[in-house]
Structures are given as structure tokens and as C-alpha cells.
Amino acid sequence: MTTAPPAWALTSPRLRLRHLDRGDEPFVLALLNEPGFIRHIGDRKVRSLDDATRYIEDGVQASYRKHGHGLYAVERREGGETIGLCGLLKREELDAPDVGYAFLSAYEGQGYAREAAAATLTHARDALGYRRVLAIVSPDNERSIHLLQKLGLQSQGTVRMKAHDHDVALYAIEW
């Protein structure tokens, strides 16, 4: 379970998911400072392109090396613009990887998160061999909870994560 997918291994009808790399700093800076990201996911303190470089290298790319997966840049196939992040995270506090996603506000409500998360879950099951995937979500993030339920994840109650000062809702899917 430690083989990273090729650059364009994850695709859907409208999207491509690829590794984050140098050059993605402006996108990362913009996304991580969106009000919705800060409210529902947390303030990652990425305030400059240098901060974004560290986020990519020390977080995302380190996860690729250590776990064979991580967050991927989500691009529209038509137009090629990067619109969000989606992928699998391995958190110390959880016994299985969790699916995570975030999109620029201009692209919310258009089905992109569902499409990217569905591709990620299929990849987790079919290519990486996971039999269980989790998701954590702020209890007040009704749109994300609805999306997780549409994808087949079921509530497992709440859990306290190190990065949060409050309980978060835990969801799971098993195959």
C-alpha cells in the first residue's frame, strides 16, 4: 500500500487528480485562505508563497513518500484550471486513512467534490487495497456531511483530533 499513483492516475468524467508540486503554491495559498477552508478545516497559517511551498513539501509530498498517497490537486479536464484538493490522509489518531477535500468557493455546489471524492474512494479500495476509509468533518458543515452520506459513509460518532480544539464528526465506509 505504499505505491504512489502515476501523475494522472485518478480521473473522473470532468476531473483529473494529480500530485501537488512546485508551481502549485499560488493555488494552495488561495485555497488555504478561503473563509470556508479556515472555518471548516482550520487555519494552516499559510500566508505566503514560501509558506505554501513548505505546506506542499513538508506535508503533502511527505505523505506521498511515507504512505503512497496524500492530497491531490483537482483539475478540470476542460480548461485545466486547478479548483481544489482531494485525497487520502493518514492521521496518527485514526486507524484508517481518511478522505479529505476542499474546493475554491467559485467551484462549490457543482458536484466536483462528490466526483473527486468518489474517484478517491474507488482508488483507495481498488488500487491501494484499503477495506475501510474514514472521514472527519466539522459537525456544523452540513454540506460536507450530506456529501459523505451520498458517498456511502456512515456516522461513527465524534472524535477529538490533535489539530482541533473541539470534537469532529467521524464517518466511515467499509467494503
Side-chain angles (χ1 to χ4, degrees):
M1 285 195 237
T2 59
T3 303
W8 297 108
L10 304 180
T11 61
S12 68
R14 299 182 298 163
L15 305 172
R16 295 184 293 223
L17 284 73
R18 63 166 175 80
H19 283 196
L20 276 169
D21 209 342
R22 295 301 301 255
D24 287 314
E25 292 88 351
F27 162 74
V28 168
L29 180 63
L31 179 65
L32 273 58
N33 285 286
E34 288 252 344
F37 188 99
I38 292 170
R39 177 175 177 226
H40 293 297
I41 297 172
D43 187 354
R44 299 297 186 249
K45 309 269 190 260
V46 173
R47 302 290 186 264
S48 68
L49 292 176
D50 286 340
D51 292 341
T53 298
R54 279 189 291 282
Y55 178 86
I56 292 168
E57 291 176 354
D58 298 344
V60 178
Q61 290 179 345
S63 180
Y64 300 156
R65 289 188 299 274
K66 184 174 182 180
H67 304 294
H69 55 72
L71 291 172
Y72 302 108
V74 178
E75 292 184 350
R76 288 185 42 188
R77 292 176 95 161
E78 184 178 314
E81 65 268 34
T82 304
I83 63 172
L85 294 175
C86 187
L88 294 174
L89 301 154
K90 184 61 186 111
R91 299 177 202 269
E92 189 177 302
E93 303 100 313
L94 301 176
D95 64 358
D98 71 285
V99 62
Y101 47 84
F103 285 78
L104 293 169
S105 58
Y107 297 97
E108 290 177 355
Q110 299 175 49
Y112 292 123
R114 182 177 184 180
E115 196 170 319
T120 298
L121 290 172
T122 298
H123 180 72
R125 183 191 64 216
D126 296 349
L128 300 176
Y130 287 116
R131 295 294 158 234
R132 183 171 187 243
V133 173
L134 305 172
I136 59 170
V137 60
S138 295
D140 66 340
N141 191 344
E142 293 177 14
R143 288 178 70 186
S144 193
I145 289 170
H146 183 68
L147 172 59
L148 293 173
Q149 291 170 337
K150 278 181 152 181
L151 292 168
L153 284 87
Q154 298 179 343
S155 176
Q156 307 294 299
T158 61
V159 64
R160 177 72 53 116
M161 304 295 290
K162 288 180 186 176
H164 300 273
D165 60 357
H166 60 280
D167 288 347
V168 293
L170 180 66
Y171 283 77
I173 188 168
E174 295 186 34
W175 298 284

